[in-house]
Amino acid sequence: MKLVILEPLGIADEKLVAMAQEACGDRMELVYYNTRKEDTETLIERSKDADAVVLSNFKYGRDVMEHCPNLKYICVAFTGYDHVDMEYCREKGIQVSNCAGYSTVAVADLVFGFIIDLYRSIIPCNEVVRKGGTKAGLIGPELEGKKFGIIGAGAIGLRVATIAQAFGCEVYAYSRTRKDVPGVTFVDMDTLLSECDIVSLHVPQTPATVGLIDKEALAKMKPSAILINTARGPIVDSQALADALNSGAIAGAAVDVFEKEPPIPEDHPLLHAKNCIATPHVAFASNEAMYKRAVIVCDNIKAYLAGNPINLV
C-alpha cells in the first residue's frame, strides 16, 4: 500500500518523514511532497496510486478522487473537513479522519490577541508613536466586566470561555446543545447578539451556519460591540460586516478567515472596512500546534493500519 502526504505540515521535513515512516512501519510505502499544490492536475498526479492520503485544508474533490482507484483513506490534517467531497467518500467507502484538537490553544490565544488589539488600539498606537504622536483618541476599554458571547461551545469555544472568565468577563454562550459549564450562561442567539460586548464565533461550517452572521444578525448587536471570527469565513456575510463597520453599527471586528484561503483579493470589503483587523488564516498555526497536528496524523495512520481507525468524521 502507498501513503501520500500531499503537502508540508508545518514542521521540519525530516521530522515529519521520520514520524510518518515510524507510523507506517513496513505496511505502507511513504511518498512525501514538500510543496503545496492545489490545482486538480497536480493533485491527480500525486494521488493517483495512493491507498491513503494526508492533506490539510485545500479542496479535495470528486474531480481528483475519480482518478484514484486505490484510495481508501483520507487523513485531513485539519479540524474542519468541508473542503473534502464527503458525498463522494461515502459513495466509494473512503474513510476520512480529521485532527480535531491540535489547534485549540492556538486559536484561543489569537482570539484574545484580537480583542486586546481592538480594545487597546495597539496597531494604531504603534503607528502613531512612530510619527511623534500621543495616546490622544486611542484610549480604550478593559475586558473586565464585559459581557463575552461565544457562539459554538466546542473545545475551542470552551477554552475561550475559560480565558474570558480569567479576564473577569461575564460569559454567555449559544450552541445547539446546552451544556453545564461553570461560569457560562447559555442563552438564545438573539439574546447573545443583543446583550454581549464581544461576540466570538466558534462553529463549524455547515449548511446551517453559512451566513449565520448576516445583516439582520449584525443589526442586533450593540454599537459598542466587536465581532471575532476565527472559525470559517462563510459563516459571516463579509459585505454586511463591512457595511456595519463603516456605518458604525458595530465598533470593530477581527477576522482570520474568509470565503477562500489567502491570498485574499485586494478589493475584499473587509480589507477596507473601518476598525477591522485581518490576518491570513493563521489562528491554528502556532509552532506547538503544528507538532501536535503531526502527532495526531501519525496516530490516525497507525490506527487505520491496525484496522481500528480513529477520529472518523
Side-chain angles (χ1 to χ4, degrees):
M1 294 195 296
K2 178 184 287 188
L3 170 69
V4 179
I5 301 177
L6 290 168
E7 60 175 316
L9 294 182
I11 66 172
D13 289 349
E14 59 273 17
K15 180 65 174 176
L16 177 61
V17 169
M19 293 171 66
Q21 286 177 333
E22 192 276 331
C24 291
D26 58 3
R27 301 281 303 279
M28 299 185 91
E29 174 192 355
L30 174 65
V31 177
Y32 169 56
Y33 291 97
N34 66 355
T35 58
R36 177 172 165 128
K37 301 290 184 181
E38 301 179 39
D39 63 282
T40 300
E41 183 178 344
T42 302
L43 291 177
I44 291 172
E45 180 60 30
R46 291 181 172 187
S47 307
K48 63 183 181 181
D49 298 323
D51 296 275
V53 298
V54 177
L55 60 100
S56 65
N57 61 338
F58 55 70
K59 184 177 182 294
Y60 201 71
R62 180 182 298 260
D63 55 346
V64 174
M65 289 186 277
E66 285 176 337
H67 299 275
C68 306
N70 300 331
L71 188 62
K72 305 175 190 69
Y73 179 70
I74 299 171
C75 179
V76 180
F78 213 64
T79 301
Y81 48 89
D82 50 279
H83 51 289
V84 175
D85 189 333
M86 296 299 293
E87 181 179 349
Y88 182 85
C89 291
R90 284 188 286 269
E91 288 176 13
K92 297 299 182 180
I94 299 168
Q95 294 181 304
V96 182
S97 293
N98 73 343
C99 291
Y102 76 93
S103 64
T104 299
V105 172
V107 174
D109 283 359
L110 188 66
V111 167
F112 287 90
F114 277 156
I115 294 167
I116 294 170
D117 273 358
L118 286 168
Y119 266 19
R120 301 305 299 273
S121 300
I122 291 175
I123 294 173
C125 281
N126 177 67
E127 293 173 354
V128 77
V129 75
R130 296 171 187 276
K131 299 174 182 177
T134 72
K135 65 182 182 299
L138 296 174
I139 296 175
E142 297 177 350
L143 266 164
E144 185 177 42
K146 297 298 183 292
K147 291 186 175 181
F148 196 116
I150 296 166
I151 297 177
I156 297 173
L158 292 180
R159 181 168 178 86
V160 169
T162 298
I163 299 170
Q165 290 179 64
F167 272 102
C169 298
E170 296 178 31
V171 182
Y172 298 84
Y174 167 79
S175 74
R176 292 180 301 175
T177 304
R178 295 196 176 204
K179 303 178 180 180
D180 183 12
V181 182
V184 179
T185 302
F186 281 77
V187 296
D188 60 73
M189 176 87 92
D190 286 354
T191 299
L192 187 148
L193 290 171
S194 62
E195 294 188 4
C196 287
D197 302 293
I198 300 159
V199 175
S200 190
L201 304 178
H202 300 287
V203 292
Q205 181 179 323
T206 68
T209 62
V210 170
L212 181 69
I213 304 301
D214 56 10
K215 181 179 179 180
E216 289 72 26
L218 290 162
K220 295 171 183 174
M221 294 176 65
K222 298 193 292 189
S224 58
I226 62 173
L227 177 72
I228 311 295
N229 187 11
T230 55
R232 287 290 198 174
I235 293 167
V236 177
D237 181 331
S238 292
Q239 186 61 61
L241 176 56
D243 292 344
L245 290 165
N246 290 331
S247 68
I250 66 172
V255 294
D256 183 54
V257 284
F258 300 84
E259 295 80 5
K260 65 183 289 292
E261 286 297 306
I264 304 304
E266 292 182 4
D267 62 351
H268 192 283
L270 289 176
L271 300 184
H272 304 278
K274 293 179 182 178
N275 207 24
C276 182
I277 298 171
T279 53
H281 201 181
V282 71
F284 69 95
S286 69
N287 294 331
E288 293 84 353
M290 296 298 93
Y291 179 75
K292 293 175 193 174
R293 177 172 71 168
V295 170
I296 298 172
V297 165
C298 293
D299 287 345
N300 284 349
I301 293 166
K302 287 179 184 177
Y304 171 72
L305 288 173
N308 298 299
I310 58 176
N311 297 319
L312 291 174
V313 295

